Amino acid sequence: MPDWSAEATRWLAGARLAPADEADIAEELAQHLEERYQGLLSGGVTESEAIRLTMAELDGERAGGLMRDLAAARRHPHSPPVPLGATSGGGRLGRLWGDLRFGARLLRRTPGFTIVAALTLALGIGANTTIFSIINALLLRPLDGVARPGELVQVGRTQAGQGFDTFSWPDYLDFRDGARTLSGVAGRFIAPAHLSTGGASERVRVDLVSGNYFQVLGIPTGHGRLLLPDDDGAPGAHPVAVLSDALWRRRFGSDPGVIGATVRLNGHPFTIIGVTAGRFHGTDTGGLTDLFVPMAMLGTLRPEAATFLTRREAVWLTIFGRLAPGATVAQAQAEIGAIARHLQQQFPETNAERGVTVAGGLGFEPGTRGEIRTFSGILLGVVGLVLLIACANVANLLLARGAARAREMAVRASLGASRGRLVSQLLAEGLVLAALGGAGGFVLGVWSLRLVLRLPVFATGGGLTIDAGPDPLVLAFTAGAMLLSGVLFALPPAFRASRVDLVTALKLGAPGAGGGRSRLRGALVVAQLALSLVLLVASGLYVRTLAALYRVEPGFDPERVLVATVDVGLQGYDDARARTFFDELERRVAALPGVERASLGYMLPLGGGGWDTRAFPAERAAAPDDPGIKSDVNVVSPDYFATVGMPVVRGRGFDGTDRAGAPLVAVVNEALAGKLWPGADPVGRRFRLGAQGTEVLEVVGVVRTARYRSLLEAPRSFFYRPFAQLPQSDMTLHVRVGESVDPGTFVPAVRRVVADLDGDLPLDRVQTLAGRLDRSVGSQRTAATLVALYGLLALALAAVGLYGSMAYLVSRRTREIGVRMALGAEASRIRRQVLGAALRIAALGGVIGLAVAVPAGRLLRSQLFGVTPADPVTLVAVVIVLGAVSLAAAYVPARRATRVDPVVALQSE
């Protein structure tokens, strides 16, 4: 086979090119000759004939024209090297590889362009990688260590067709024993506990699980053994526990000798029998389970729940199962639903209107999964628009670069390259650029992911703990985004550049060429501005939502209040002992220097959950169809209302007379009072708990309606009961400190008081009430932060695109501007015209953007609070920002236009 590189070098000797140019062109020409030679061979031509025909083409008329063009290129040193790569012969893979090599070489020769374009793409691809990594961790990634996760389903209880709640243990047994479409049905119950080893104590999360829990999940053993059905026999008979791999490493230093060791949970000895394999930490996405204990040990860990295993009315158990071979979710739904209907008939007093819902997958219950999926879709749409803007920006850069390469395309066409071949070459260059942007985007996405995971909803105490590190699916997504963006930004410029007028393009510096490109560039800039306005409107709506939330009156004063939870039930305290402990704790903390007040409350303000019941006026019997007033209840000590800054507007709060054995009393909020006794004074009136309940409470005071579970909630009926009459084992200490005092500084003192009373009791959920109020809007703050950041990124990219377009416009009109200035045009007039052109582009983008943003805003309706999708303040503010940024982006090109030297401009033509 001939040495085509040597032939190409020999042939180029007469062109007298610069050494670097000669080497580049020789390599490309050799590739062309090789492709032509191989193509002839594959067509059945003999080797000698293939060599002859290839050399004849090299020395033929078209090549002679090329030699003249190369000589012209030598006279114009600023012209790019002339590549070949015509369509003749060669396999597709060979041509693609050659195109990629040539594209990489061209990008290497223009580092400034390459860096700017790759960085622009990296910003767009990185944003998508970051958001997809989070979505993957929350919704797509299967539970670690679980066998065949696609077969798992979760089962939820409905009440009157609504909800997705827990079950009773007897109901679970009926489902487990009756289901045939499920090869196994398991149950679990989350029970915080105190873990003590060698004197050190900490609060841990324990999952009490049915004996078949690990078998249903298909979890492998890391060390020792896992729980078996035999461990879940008689209540209290098997005090054994399985450690999670994370707790084993953190607390026990990965010591294999821990198997068989004894630890204390809530003061009771448990034997460690095994450690889970790998990173399995339970079936809740974002939750971390530390130990797994047989369900039969429920009464040991939580004595107050000992009867739950026999009571069908007590609903507390989470259920999941694995589909039998060949079974579907719909079949499981039908079968489990039939069992539930049978239980309604068999146990009407407890199971009336109790139904079931079977949903695929574990991790989040369907309602929460739906909310996450909705917001994830919004975020993906946001970063998708950012990527589109980045692609439009790079397309604009390629269009400008294409104008400089018009002569190159003409020479390639004169050598016989078809339009499809030219498009293929330019697309290959785009793919090389996309690969650079994709690699940078992946690195940038992984780095920015660490920052995003520090936002409130993911940070410590924010409610979610996820491992969102990259995996093959994230890599595949990034690769897909890279390929898609490569086609999006390279295809329009490639088609435009391939439409060349050979005569005009070969005349270097021919004026007037590229008007179509200018229109396409303008259209791309308009699209960028329109898309950035849509994102700015979305971010403005989220920011306004967050501001509206912060303006909501919570109904209490969160400033200067420290809260910390103590659960004496984990240590087996009975009611009398719990009452004594908390009374002493409250007294000692209130006596600390700098403390104004201290009190106790069962529910933490804005805790997200509740303890609800039904209230009925005691003066009349409840009708059979009367559902009563659904109300939340809290148990508090006498000084609670003053401590949290919740004024009593009528009657009184609790005092020492509201003790055990005294008449049962309550303080109600205005919402409950208005529903039970509309227009009447509630103080002195009584209400009953439950339609047929025996507990009747007398109202001694009224407080204003506050926000209890969320700042977003509608006014909720609520009442309070005194701790002395309804003692609880799990109470939260509320401490209000003096003016100009940081409540966080009192944490060590409170810990010492608790340790003096009981050294085995750790504090939990230690935080300030102001911090809790801030974290209660953590998801909204995260949404506003992410959408605003990506909106600003989109605006910055659009501004860069507008700047580039105006700079290109000025460069194209250099001669015109020079002539006008030579004829006496004022610099200010030139500047106004350039700025006016920019504002016209911005105005068109703004109009299109508003036309899209207003209807698109309706998709965010469920995410908004205190603001409408077409909020006029947001729309006006965004338009002003877009106009200001557009003027700023066009100012430098406009100023440059006024500095054109007419003599130089005319000479350059």
Side-chain angles (χ1 to χ4, degrees):
M1 186 179 71
D3 184 351
W4 297 117
S5 295
E7 293 293 341
T9 302
R10 175 190 60 77
W11 187 85
L12 289 170
R16 293 182 294 175
L17 297 171
D21 290 342
E22 181 175 327
D24 285 339
I25 297 173
E27 180 182 351
E28 189 68 21
L29 183 57
Q31 176 190 331
H32 164 69
L33 297 174
E34 172 65 20
E35 289 178 357
R36 176 60 172 158
Y37 171 72
Q38 294 294 339
L40 291 170
L41 288 179
S42 63
V45 178
T46 64
E47 182 177 356
S48 60
E49 183 67 9
I51 294 173
R52 187 187 69 77
L53 290 174
T54 302
M55 294 301 296
E57 181 175 323
L58 179 64
D59 295 325
E61 181 179 351
R62 284 189 298 170
L66 176 61
M67 180 64 76
R68 291 191 298 272
D69 292 327
L70 290 173
R74 182 176 59 82
R75 295 194 297 270
H76 297 275
H78 296 294
S79 298
V82 183
L84 303 177
T87 56
S88 302
R92 293 182 179 180
L93 290 179
R95 288 197 300 272
L96 176 60
W97 176 243
D99 290 344
L100 293 174
R101 287 170 50 207
F102 177 69
R105 188 167 64 248
L106 276 184
L107 292 174
R108 190 170 61 247
R109 292 174 63 90
T110 54
F113 165 83
T114 303
I115 291 173
V116 171
L119 180 58
T120 301
L121 286 175
L123 290 172
I125 295 175
N128 281 266
T129 298
T130 297
I131 297 304
F132 183 80
S133 296
I134 296 174
I135 294 173
N136 177 48
L138 293 177
L139 298 176
L140 305 179
R141 181 181 294 170
L143 292 172
D144 290 324
V146 174
R148 304 182 305 283
E151 298 176 0
L152 295 173
V153 296
Q154 50 186 325
V155 184
R157 175 178 59 88
T158 63
Q159 194 69 36
Q162 302 295 319
F164 194 88
D165 298 318
T166 54
F167 294 88
S168 69
W169 181 259
D171 283 350
Y172 156 72
L173 295 179
D174 288 325
F175 291 137
R176 184 196 66 184
D177 297 338
R180 295 295 176 268
T181 55
L182 300 178
S183 60
V185 182
R188 68 180 180 87
F189 173 63
I190 301 173
H194 288 172
L195 170 66
S196 300
T197 57
S201 179
E202 66 173 301
R203 185 183 175 99
V204 295
R205 169 174 158 165
V206 174
D207 274 12
L208 287 149
V209 300
S210 58
N212 62 346
Y213 175 86
F214 291 106
Q215 292 176 334
V216 172
L217 290 174
I219 303 296
T221 305
H223 299 278
R225 70 171 180 87
L226 302 179
L227 297 176
L228 300 172
D230 290 343
D231 297 316
D232 196 26
H238 295 88
V240 294
V242 173
L243 302 177
S244 70
D245 182 78
L247 181 67
W248 177 60
R249 295 179 185 278
R250 174 176 60 82
R251 186 66 184 263
F252 300 96
S254 303
D255 179 13
V258 73
I259 306 300
T262 298
V263 297
R264 301 186 73 81
L265 293 174
N266 295 351
H268 300 282
F270 279 75
T271 301
I272 302 299
I273 61 171
V275 178
T276 60
R279 295 156 58 184
F280 176 75
H281 46 69
T283 55
D284 287 331
T285 299
L288 300 176
T289 300
D290 297 304
L291 296 100
F292 302 87
V293 171
M295 190 67 70
M297 300 305 298
L298 175 64
T300 302
L301 286 182
R302 304 302 300 240
E304 73 278 10
T307 61
F308 283 8
L309 294 176
T310 58
R311 292 167 51 194
R312 194 173 289 272
E313 71 276 11
V315 288
W316 52 279
L317 188 71
T318 300
I319 294 178
F320 65 90
R322 181 178 291 277
L323 291 172
T328 66
V329 174
Q331 291 171 339
Q333 172 69 61
E335 181 185 44
I336 301 298
I339 296 174
R341 289 189 293 273
H342 175 72
L343 294 178
Q344 292 177 15
Q345 299 170 359
Q346 190 175 4
F347 307 101
E349 67 282 2
T350 59
N351 286 56
E353 297 189 325
R354 284 187 188 177
V356 295
T357 295
V358 180
L362 298 182
F364 293 109
E365 60 94 7
T368 302
R369 182 180 291 273
E371 294 174 1
I372 294 175
R373 188 181 291 114
T374 297
F375 183 58
S376 297
I378 292 173
L379 281 183
L380 269 184
V382 167
V383 295
L385 292 181
V386 171
L387 183 57
L388 283 178
I389 294 172
C391 288
N393 217 327
V394 176
N396 251 331
L397 292 174
L398 289 175
L399 283 172
R401 192 165 182 259
R405 297 180 63 186
R407 186 173 178 277
E408 171 194 330
M409 295 298 107
V411 171
R412 292 169 64 84
S414 71
L415 282 172
S418 66
R419 188 181 180 193
R421 185 71 182 92
L422 295 178
V423 170
S424 174
Q425 172 65 67
L426 294 172
L427 280 178
E429 295 177 27
L431 289 177
V432 174
L433 190 57
L436 294 174
F442 182 77
V443 174
L444 186 62
V446 172
W447 174 79
S448 60
L449 177 63
R450 299 173 185 173
L451 300 181
V452 171
L453 293 180
R454 295 178 184 175
L455 292 174
V457 73
F458 302 113
T460 302
L464 283 175
T465 304
I466 63 172
D467 177 12
D471 62 10
L473 189 57
V474 173
L475 286 171
F477 175 84
T478 303
M482 176 191 72
L483 292 174
L484 178 62
S485 63
V487 173
L488 286 177
F489 72 73
L491 198 57
F495 275 112
R496 176 67 67 182
S498 65
R499 293 167 54 185
V500 292
D501 183 341
L502 299 184
V503 176
T504 301
L506 289 173
K507 293 180 180 179
L508 296 174
R517 292 186 181 90
S518 296
R519 287 190 292 272
L520 180 57
R521 286 172 60 83
L524 288 173
V525 173
V526 168
Q528 290 181 71
L529 292 172
L531 293 176
S532 66
L533 185 138
V534 172
L535 293 185
L536 286 176
V537 169
S539 61
L541 292 175
Y542 274 110
V543 170
R544 294 264 292 159
T545 291
L546 185 62
L549 283 172
Y550 277 119
R551 288 194 300 269
V552 171
E553 276 293 331
F556 54 88
D557 179 12
E559 300 301 323
R560 299 184 289 116
V561 177
L562 175 71
V563 293
T565 300
V566 182
D567 190 351
V568 298
L570 301 182
Q571 292 298 107
Y573 283 38
D574 57 20
D575 286 351
R577 191 180 173 194
R579 189 183 296 115
T580 300
F581 173 88
F582 283 119
D583 287 345
E584 185 63 16
L585 174 64
E586 184 179 10
R587 185 189 66 79
R588 292 193 185 189
V589 172
L592 292 174
V595 173
E596 288 186 355
R597 296 178 182 276
S599 63
L600 299 165
Y602 175 69
M603 285 178 55
L604 200 58
L606 300 176
W611 175 12
D612 61 286
T613 185
R614 300 280 175 170
F616 297 81
E619 56 265 24
R620 66 176 184 269
D625 59 347
D626 185 1
I629 307 300
K630 184 178 180 179
S631 304
D632 273 354
V633 57
N634 195 3
V635 177
V636 300
S637 64
D639 223 14
Y640 176 84
F641 302 109
T643 303
V644 299
M646 185 180 293
V648 178
V649 297
R650 192 172 301 168
R652 66 174 177 85
F654 299 128
D655 57 30
T657 63
D658 304 315
R659 57 185 180 273
L664 300 180
V665 296
V667 171
V668 300
N669 72 351
E670 293 175 319
L672 179 58
K675 293 176 181 178
L676 287 176
W677 306 285
D681 185 357
V683 176
R685 294 181 179 268
R686 300 190 305 161
F687 65 95
R688 183 174 59 256
L689 302 183
Q692 307 300 325
T694 58
E695 281 192 306
V696 178
L697 312 179
E698 179 183 347
V699 177
V700 297
V702 180
V703 294
R704 293 197 183 279
T705 301
R707 307 282 173 157
Y708 305 101
R709 300 190 184 190
S710 165
L711 288 175
L712 294 170
E713 69 184 12
R716 183 182 296 273
S717 300
F718 207 94
F719 67 93
Y720 300 85
R721 299 188 63 178
F723 172 73
Q725 293 185 347
L726 190 64
Q728 302 296 312
S729 62
D730 186 4
M731 297 294 287
T732 297
L733 180 69
H734 298 64
V735 184
R736 177 172 290 277
V737 301
E739 295 285 349
S740 303
V741 178
D742 180 7
T745 60
F746 281 81
V747 175
V750 173
R751 290 191 188 277
R752 286 194 296 271
V753 171
V754 173
D756 289 343
L757 293 173
D758 189 333
D760 289 330
L761 285 175
L763 287 180
D764 187 38
R765 293 183 289 180
V766 181
Q767 57 196 302
T768 64
L769 201 52
R772 181 161 192 83
L773 177 65
D774 192 50
R775 279 188 290 275
S776 71
V777 296
S779 58
Q780 290 80 13
R781 188 145 56 96
T782 298
T785 301
L786 288 176
V787 177
L789 283 176
Y790 292 130
L792 292 175
L793 174 60
L795 181 62
L797 290 173
V800 170
L802 180 60
Y803 167 81
S805 180
M806 300 312 300
Y808 178 77
L809 176 65
V810 169
S811 69
R812 296 284 297 175
R813 296 177 59 187
T814 298
R815 182 176 182 275
E816 173 196 338
I817 294 172
V819 170
R820 295 180 60 186
M821 294 188 70
L823 294 176
E826 296 180 355
S828 59
R829 182 179 180 84
I830 300 295
R831 185 163 51 246
R832 285 197 301 271
Q833 288 183 340
V834 176
L835 291 176
L839 283 180
R840 284 192 294 273
I841 293 175
L844 181 57
V847 170
I848 296 174
L850 286 176
V852 175
V854 172
R858 300 191 186 103
L859 300 175
L860 308 180
R861 190 182 299 275
S862 63
Q863 306 282 318
L864 304 180
F865 174 80
V867 64
T868 63
D871 177 51
V873 174
T874 300
L875 297 179
V876 171
V878 167
V879 169
I880 292 174
V881 169
L882 186 67
V885 171
S886 299
L887 283 176
Y891 178 76
V892 173
R895 186 179 180 186
R896 184 179 301 157
T898 63
R899 295 184 175 182
V900 171
D901 187 331
V903 176
V904 175
L906 293 174
Q907 285 179 344
S908 67
E909 298 295 327

